[in-house]
């Protein structure tokens, strides 16, 4: 039977809502604890970084990013992305942005003339971040930020192999691990809980990008500024001047307008984690959802379960064709680095999952849960959904009494 003829069996959201509540959504107390500690630690570190005169001049603001603040995070919140937004002291009207040979990346020419410096002292600091052709060099940019972070942390009291940051009467143990364009902070709270924070230096722009896809969608969004990230690449001769474009705030806005989509993304991530599809990055799943929103006006409306199945089929189609177009530049295939054999293996697993669900859904309303959850989680779900009413009421009363 064709997939659309099965749609009537995907109208009930009882099972997926229960999965979301029990295994996917974050608890409010977890969010509160993280926000209270994380914000004050990052604020304190940035204040100490401002002891560097040039950094103090160019630092604009911080942006708490990543899936936690997008609303698509699953599981215990242990990893966070924080963008350090930098504005260089140059005339941004003179900056020239061009498409890099590697799709999805751009080149940024500073517009500076080394023989005609307007502010020699400050311009000399900027020149340290440029290559010989006056393009902003992402390697030098990352090295500059790394040196400031390193000095800042090393000026803290050392305790064992970590550094002690004291804020009022609260102590945090900090360790820095450099990785890619980011600098990962391991922060240990007083209760022993540890989180990792990626501190990412980025440049912010308001100019339109050449050959941008979904430009009409971009122009109607509230947020018009976008970021350039110094993400290393290895397949371009001029890789030191290639910057990855980033539209985090725009993507967050689009997802916020389509609240059900965030739940579907979280469920897809849960399926990925259960099946150990480690090569499927969270951003791939989010991009599949964004692309599907463009193609299907009914995606994310009505039954969440039906939209989840659409997402499942779209992900399978994406892997079959071994191509996932970047939402903001359709010429850029996000899967370009993935091993083709691994893609084929996951697509085959997805095909079997979809076929299994389609065959069984008419007689087994729990079939999707059996695919998303591991055995222990499935047993817990089944128990929760099949409790006698009296037992449920007693448990609720007990909880109220404890509180």
């Amino acid at each position: 039977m064709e997939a659309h003829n099965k749609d009537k069996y995907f109208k009930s959201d009882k099972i997926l809502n229960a999965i979301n509540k029990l295994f996917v959504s974050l608890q409010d107390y977890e969010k509160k604890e993280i926000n209270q500690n994380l914000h004050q630690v990052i604020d304190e570190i940035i204040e100490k970084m401002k002891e560097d005169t040039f950094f103090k001049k160019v630092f604009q603001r911080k942006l708490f990013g990543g899936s936690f603040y997008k609303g698509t995070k699953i599981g215990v919140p242990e990893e966070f992305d924080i963008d350090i937004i930098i504005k260089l002291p140059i005339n941004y009207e003179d900056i020239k942005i061009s498409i890099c040979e590697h799709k999805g990346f751009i080149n940024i020419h500073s517009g500076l003339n080394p023989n005609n410096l307007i502010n020699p002292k400050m311009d000399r600091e900027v020149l340290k971040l440029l290559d010989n052709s006056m393009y902003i060099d992402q390697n030098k940019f990352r090295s500059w930020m790394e040196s400031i972070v390193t000095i800042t942390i090393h000026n803290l009291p050392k305790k064992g192999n970590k550094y002690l940051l004291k804020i009022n009467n609260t102590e945090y143990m900090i360790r820095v691990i450099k990785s890619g364009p980011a600098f990962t902070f391991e922060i240990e709270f007083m209760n022993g809980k540890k989180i990792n924070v990626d501190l990412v230096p980025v440049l912010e722009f308001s100019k339109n990008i050449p050959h941008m896809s979904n430009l009409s969608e971009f122009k109607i969004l509230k947020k018009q500024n976008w970021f350039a990230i110094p993400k290393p690449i290895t397949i371009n001769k001029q890789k030191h001047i290639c910057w990855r474009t980033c539209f985090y705030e725009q993507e967050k806005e689009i997802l916020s307008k389509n609240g059900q989509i965030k739940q579907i993304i979280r469920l897809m991530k849960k399926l990925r984690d259960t099946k150990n599809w480690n090569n499927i990055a969270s951003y791939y799943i989010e991009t599949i959802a964004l692309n599907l929103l463009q193609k299907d006006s009914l995606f994310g409306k009505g039954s969440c379960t039906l939209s989840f199945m659409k997402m499942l089929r779209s992900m399978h189609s994406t892997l079959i064709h071994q191509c996932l177009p970047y939402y903001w530049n359709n010429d850029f295939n996000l899967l370009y680095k993935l091993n083709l054999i691994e893609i084929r293996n996951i697509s085959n697993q997805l095909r079997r999952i979809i076929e299994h669900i389609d065959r069984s859904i008419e007689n087994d309303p729990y079939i999707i849960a059996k695919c998303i959850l591991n055995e222990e989680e499935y047993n817990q779900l089944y128990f929760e959904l099949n409790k006698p009413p009296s037992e449920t009421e007693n448990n609720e009363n007990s909880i109220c009494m404890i509180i």
Side-chain angles (χ1 to χ4, degrees), residues 142-277:
R142 283 187 288 110
S143 295
W144 162 69
M145 181 62 71
E146 180 183 4
S147 67
I148 294 171
V149 173
T150 300
I151 291 171
T152 299
I153 297 302
H154 286 181
N155 282 339
L156 297 173
K158 196 168 185 181
K159 193 172 182 180
N161 64 342
K162 298 180 181 180
Y163 293 87
L164 175 64
L165 179 65
K166 191 169 183 178
I167 304 174
N168 299 323
N169 294 321
T170 306
E171 294 184 349
Y172 300 94
M173 300 306 300
I174 296 179
R175 185 166 63 96
V176 178
I177 310 167
K178 181 178 180 297
S179 60
F183 305 95
T184 302
F185 284 84
E186 180 191 79
I187 303 174
E188 182 177 345
F189 300 161
M190 289 184 70
N191 62 6
K193 181 179 178 61
K194 296 179 182 179
I195 62 172
N196 287 340
V197 177
D198 282 346
L199 206 61
V200 188
V202 304
L203 295 172
E204 183 176 27
F205 297 99
S206 58
K207 288 188 174 185
N208 288 339
I209 306 176
H211 309 299
M212 178 183 183
S213 301
N214 294 317
L215 183 59
S216 58
E217 173 74 21
F218 180 83
K219 287 184 175 180
I220 64 174
L221 296 171
K222 294 179 182 178
K223 301 289 186 179
Q224 289 293 297
N225 288 5
W226 53 274
F227 305 127
I229 299 177
K231 186 176 179 67
I233 59 173
T234 58
I235 59 175
N236 190 284
K237 294 179 181 178
Q238 299 293 318
K239 57 189 177 183
H240 67 286
I241 60 171
C242 292
W243 294 69
R244 173 72 180 272
T245 57
C246 173
F247 299 88
Y248 174 83
E249 291 189 301
Q250 289 77 20
E251 291 164 1
K252 182 179 178 181
E253 186 177 337
I254 293 171
L255 293 177
S256 295
K257 293 178 179 178
N258 300 273
Q260 192 185 87
I261 304 300
K262 292 191 282 189
Q263 179 179 344
I264 294 167
I265 289 172
R266 291 195 297 265
L267 290 165
M268 288 295 295
K269 288 182 179 181
K270 176 59 181 170
L271 171 64
R272 173 203 61 188
D273 292 350
T274 298
K275 301 300 182 184
N276 293 315
W277 296 336

Side-chain angles (χ1 to χ4, degrees), residues 312-330:
L312 209 58
R313 299 182 204 280
S314 182
M315 183 174 177
H316 178 238
S317 176
T318 296
L319 296 181
I320 284 284
H321 294 95
Q322 301 173 357
C323 180
L324 175 55
Y326 180 37
Y327 185 77
W328 305 103
N329 183 342
N330 291 336

